[in-house]
Amino acid sequence: MQPQSSGEALPAWIKARIAEHGLVPLSQFMEWALYHPQYGYYTRGPAIGPRGDFTTSPEASPEFGRLLARHVADIDALLGGPEQFNMVECGPGNGTLAADMLAALQAEYPQLYNRLRYRLVEISPALTLEQQARLLPQHAAKVGWAISIEQLPQGLYGAIVGNEFIDAFPVHLLENREGQIQEQYVGLSPNNSLELVYGAPSDPRLAQFIQDYNLRLLPGERIEINLGSAEWLKQATHLLERGVVTLIDYGDTQPARYSAARREGTLLGYYGGAVTANVLSHPGMQDLTALVDFTALRDEAQQAGFDVLGLTRQAAFLVGLGLGLGTDATSHEEAGGGQAQAAQRRGRQALVSMEGLGKFHVLLLGKGVDRQSALQSLSGLKYIGIL
């Protein structure tokens, strides 16, 4: 018998678990599909970039990392320049953002760079190797790795950044079926293929979420609920003694997050750079993601012990940090011509386009910092509420 390929092994493994233990909530299927230790989509290492399954802001333009370095410098000043500044990046992808931030900090903020300790929290062995190859030659003395923030020492002074991180959490999917709120589960069909079935909600927190936010699902309407973000925020508040958390992601606030236009739900699969119709197809080979509920995320952060410093759009956040103002490296790029400069301009424009990356939300959370001082010190909040 020939060994199974990675595309065959995970479906077989999932089917065996279901055959042995019964139906599992869709959130459990997502956990396996994305984070199985050997075959999960993220643990194997997703293809990131223009030719991959998706493109994030760091791949769109190196200006993203340079401007986040400026944001980190603002946080350092807000904290009074601690003896050691701890930077923690969660979900660091292929290391592009870390490389761009570290290069900018080294060049533009050398005193901060000298006090910096940069930790990447990464579950994927494949991506860890890619990050190490990218970062160790220039920044070996500054970087370190962990597979969860629980592995890091508590009581840190500094910053946590998660770019397109929360959207990668598994979600529960609920639907109004003939007046009853039911949850999607994954089971086996008579021909032993994976199929979606419905049953009673698997966790009492799901009904509580619907009640807390007074959500009224119309017949056939679906919503996703992320129960994992609250636990992660509790871990984050234990990690930081004083500092700022910056979460950048696609999503929306309520009530728009659950508007009639999204009555089919927002959970999608991405395979080979295209949207797939079936979230059960290609387990471990496709990305699964849903829009973030920033209202719930903000409330969970407060319950965990954070102060909400601000919620803004990526376009406003980056313009506040200096993007498009014709200063620093931007002015030198604009002074030139040719294809390289045109590509740089397109990349910067992609970061702030309200048809794409620019409409992402940026949630800033503080612990042990004064909110009014933060509003005055953090340049990324300069234009809060404008976009």
Side-chain angles (χ1 to χ4, degrees), residues 41-46 93-94 122-133:
Y41 177 79
Y42 285 116
T43 47
R44 287 190 309 103
N94 57 19
E122 179 57 69
I123 194 173
S124 167
L127 286 177
T128 297
L129 290 174
E130 191 171 348
Q131 294 155 13
Q132 290 174 341

Side-chain angles (χ1 to χ4, degrees), residues 46-122:
I48 304 172
R51 297 185 180 182
D53 293 336
F54 53 86
T55 298
T56 62
S57 292
E59 281 73 43
S61 171
E63 282 290 282
F64 185 75
R66 190 178 72 86
L67 293 168
L68 257 64
R70 182 173 297 177
H71 176 56
V72 169
D74 285 349
I75 296 172
D76 179 58
L78 178 65
L79 299 181
E83 182 177 349
Q84 177 172 292
F85 186 94
N86 295 279
M87 175 71 204
V88 178
E89 184 185 353
C90 295
N94 57 19
T96 299
L97 177 57
D100 291 341
M101 289 182 66
L102 285 163
L105 288 168
Q106 187 176 34
E108 300 179 36
Y109 308 96
Q111 292 184 341
L112 170 55
Y113 180 83
N114 290 338
R115 293 182 283 110
L116 181 71
R117 178 65 171 161
Y118 198 115
R119 296 174 171 90
L120 296 91
V121 179
E122 179 57 69

Side-chain angles (χ1 to χ4, degrees), residues 10 13 31-32 34-40 43-44 123-125:
L10 186 56
W13 186 90
E31 180 75 29
W32 290 336
L34 297 177
Y35 299 108
H36 182 278
Q38 186 174 0
Y39 300 118
T43 47
R44 287 190 309 103
I123 194 173
S124 167

